[in-house]
Amino acid sequence: MRVSLKDVAERAGVSIKTVSNVVNNYPHITPAMRTKVQEAIDELGYRPNLTARHLRKGRTGIIALAVPELGNPYFAELAGAVIDAAAEHEFTVLLDHTRGERQQELLVSQGFRARVIDGLILSPLELEAEDLRGRADDVPLVLLGEREYGLPFDHIAIDNVAAARAAVRHLLDRGRTRIAYLGVRTDSANRPAHLRLDGWRAELATAGLTPDEDLIVPVGGWDRDDGARAMAELLDAGHRPDAVFAFNDLIAIGAMRVLHERGLRVPWDIAVVGFDDIAESRFGAVSLTTIAPDKQAIARLAVASLLRSLSGRQDPGGRELTAEFRLVERESTLGRR
């Protein structure tokens, strides 16, 4: 049988209202009373009925997180961080996997789950600003990722240009001058990867180097096999770099596999830097230097933005919120200065 507030009140010898105040963390409760009620809660194993609590506020207690690829470790780790951040506010997270397909992203963004969610956190790849500008659904929306939209929705990201510059600067500081960029998508100027490419160009220019366009390798996706194909293509074309900056860790890991197969030593022959700091980057035969976005901060900012909208404090113009990042130095760049 489910334990009720009444059961706790009878065990503690207090009113139901007092128990409710303790459960809801009402501040004006004496420490002695709070301890007395908490002991009764622990003894009876009482658990608040979160569904009823949310329904009293006109909510479902569920927010959705839509990402392109749950099989990508970065998005899996980010999803875990969002789930943890939402749980702190007693919300459950519904996960949607869009596969980075425009039609699926449209379906999610236009509210096909509007009746069961209180808000949506969306990391789009294919959607353009016009797709979202005419959004009819009034469920609060928060955007994640590298793309720039200029829309009336909060957008959370790291400074991708600054992060890319930090990665390239690290390679330059280690004596590398022919730094390849693996991971650009050429089918749309608004796609992710272009801000990181901008950072690559800017830092090389600051160092007095002319960016070599032959060292930019486009990819069809952002997985390990895409990185392997890009690295092989670069080497087969005779454009041998002394360092690689990859759009993400998966591309970098695929590239390092090809370098190993070709007899090139990382980092002595070619240094490699990735992006995302996924768990896998720490455990390869050569651990990967990478840019580590603060995933927990991104998750907390996204959840807080939704809660802000639900409380009626949404900025009509939308806000650009930036999380921190750091460069994590590992074995893939530590061979030569």
Side-chain angles (χ1 to χ4, degrees):
M1 179 181 294
R2 185 180 182 89
V3 178
S4 67
L5 285 177
K6 181 180 179 182
D7 297 326
V8 175
E10 290 177 352
R11 174 64 64 92
V14 299
S15 69
I16 294 175
K17 178 63 174 175
T18 297
V19 175
S20 177
N21 287 340
V22 171
V23 169
N24 290 291
N25 204 27
Y26 186 71
H28 304 299
I29 299 289
T30 65
M33 182 61 70
R34 192 178 299 277
T35 298
K36 184 177 183 180
V37 173
Q38 189 60 52
E39 287 175 351
I41 288 172
D42 294 341
E43 289 171 7
L44 295 175
Y46 170 76
R47 294 292 179 270
N49 187 336
L50 298 181
T51 300
R53 183 183 300 178
H54 284 297
L55 288 175
R56 283 195 296 272
K57 298 178 181 179
R59 302 175 185 170
T60 66
I62 300 171
I63 61 176
L65 170 65
V67 297
E69 179 58 69
L70 279 173
N72 182 312
Y74 171 79
F75 290 115
E77 293 172 17
L78 179 63
V82 170
I83 289 169
D84 290 343
E88 292 178 6
H89 300 278
E90 299 180 339
F91 276 81
T92 298
V93 177
L94 173 69
L95 294 179
D96 264 313
H97 174 200
T98 66
R99 298 182 297 277
E101 297 174 358
R102 181 174 181 273
Q103 195 57 42
Q104 192 65 22
E105 290 177 353
L106 275 172
L107 189 63
V108 170
S109 67
Q110 295 302 326
F112 83 111
R113 296 192 190 277
R115 294 183 179 180
V116 296
I117 65 173
D118 295 320
L120 169 64
I121 301 171
L122 172 63
S123 181
L125 290 183
E126 295 286 343
L127 291 185
E128 303 296 342
E130 290 305 314
D131 295 323
L132 293 170
R133 188 167 285 116
R135 183 172 180 260
D137 183 27
D138 60 358
V139 169
L141 170 66
V142 171
L143 297 171
L144 302 182
E146 184 174 355
R147 300 190 58 180
E148 297 174 319
Y149 289 99
L151 292 169
F153 308 110
D154 284 358
H155 174 224
I156 291 103
I158 67 168
D159 186 335
N160 280 274
V161 173
R165 294 191 68 156
V168 174
R169 189 180 317 121
H170 172 69
L171 291 168
L172 291 167
D173 288 345
R174 305 206 66 82
R176 313 295 171 139
T177 57
R178 286 185 53 77
I179 302 171
Y181 179 76
L182 306 186
V184 70
R185 296 283 286 267
T186 58
D187 44 352
S188 171
N190 293 324
R191 290 281 184 89
H194 286 271
L195 290 177
R196 296 176 195 177
L197 178 61
D198 290 345
W200 174 85
R201 292 186 193 279
E203 195 60 31
L204 289 176
T206 297
L209 299 172
T210 301
D212 187 343
E213 301 299 312
D214 289 332
L215 297 181
I216 301 173
V217 187
V219 295
W222 288 305
D223 210 333
R224 301 165 189 83
D225 55 346
D226 299 294
R229 281 192 293 268
M231 191 73 248
E233 178 184 330
L234 187 65
L235 295 175
D236 290 343
H239 302 304
R240 164 95 175 257
D242 60 13
V244 167
F245 171 46
F247 172 76
N248 66 12
D249 287 349
L250 295 182
I251 288 175
I253 289 166
M256 287 198 295
R257 178 63 193 177
V258 168
L259 292 174
H260 172 73
E261 292 172 351
R262 300 290 182 94
L264 295 167
R265 301 170 303 159
V266 176
W268 296 276
D269 297 320
I270 299 180
V272 180
V273 177
F275 205 112
D276 287 344
D277 192 32
I278 61 175
E280 187 178 346
S281 67
R282 301 192 292 272
F283 297 105
V286 177
S287 59
L288 178 64
T289 294
T290 184
I291 295 292
D294 190 337
K295 303 181 189 77
Q296 285 69 35
I298 293 170
R300 288 193 300 271
L301 285 168
V303 171
S305 292
L306 282 186
L307 296 182
R308 187 171 183 269
S309 295
L310 288 171
S311 67
R313 293 182 292 124
Q314 184 176 14
D315 188 326
R319 300 175 298 162
E320 292 291 331
L321 303 173
T322 304
E324 297 298 318
F325 67 87
R326 63 191 177 95
L327 175 74
V328 181
E329 297 183 32
R330 298 197 181 104
E331 294 167 331
S332 68
T333 60
L334 297 182
R336 182 181 78 190
R337 285 192 182 274

